[in-house]
Amino acid sequence: QVQLVESGGGSVQAGGSLTLSCTSSGTRFSLNVMSWYRQLPGKQRDLVASISPGGNTKYSDAVKGRFIIARNNALSNLTLRMNDLKVEDTAVYYCNANNQFVGFDSWGQGMQVTVSA
């Protein structure tokens, strides 16, 4: 059973930084595409950043240049370093593990990030 455990959410002032962490178990972490999504109430869940098994990264335009996604395959850990946070970054953030070849798509429980002006 795939399990994704997230930590690091919280409240910060605009311009500050936070690092989100996601630890995976029950899956071969190194083979998965790992991603961070975020969601506002009543809105769809949007991709923030993703990283392939080979380390290729992709970012949404809204966070490019401010956020850094990274993975540590030895520790089955995914992080998202969020710098220069803006009020509009406020959302619930979710960790996602996806492997199309074996057919699974798994989500963490989500955690709140609140950025105040």
Side-chain angles (χ1 to χ4, degrees), residues 5 17-18 25 58 62 68 70 82-83 86 91-92 96-97 101-102:
V5 178
S17 298
L18 277 177
S25 61
K58 182 169 60 176
I68 301 171
M82 305 187 294
N83 299 313
K86 305 178 186 298
V92 176
N96 174 266
F101 296 105
V102 299

Side-chain angles (χ1 to χ4, degrees), residues 28-34 50-58 69-73 78 98-99 101:
R28 292 186 67 182
F29 179 85
S30 63
L31 300 182
N32 301 333
V33 175
M34 299 299 299
S50 66
I51 184 166
S52 72
N56 294 319
T57 58
K58 182 169 60 176
I69 190 171
R71 65 190 300 158
N72 184 323
N73 290 335
L78 176 74
N98 180 276
N99 189 323
F101 296 105

Side-chain angles (χ1 to χ4, degrees), residues 41-54:
K43 303 287 188 182
Q44 69 178 22
R45 201 170 289 185
D46 292 326
L47 178 68
V48 174
S50 66
I51 184 166
S52 72

Side-chain angles (χ1 to χ4, degrees), residues 70-90:
R71 65 190 300 158
N72 184 323
N73 290 335
L75 298 178
S76 296
N77 182 253
L78 176 74
T79 57
L80 183 70
R81 174 67 176 176
M82 305 187 294
N83 299 313
D84 188 24
L85 281 159
K86 305 178 186 298
V87 172
E88 52 264 39
D89 293 320
T90 296

Side-chain angles (χ1 to χ4, degrees), residues 5-21:
V5 178
E6 300 154 342
S7 62
S11 298
V12 66
Q13 286 193 317
S17 298
L18 277 177
T19 298
L20 307 184
S21 179

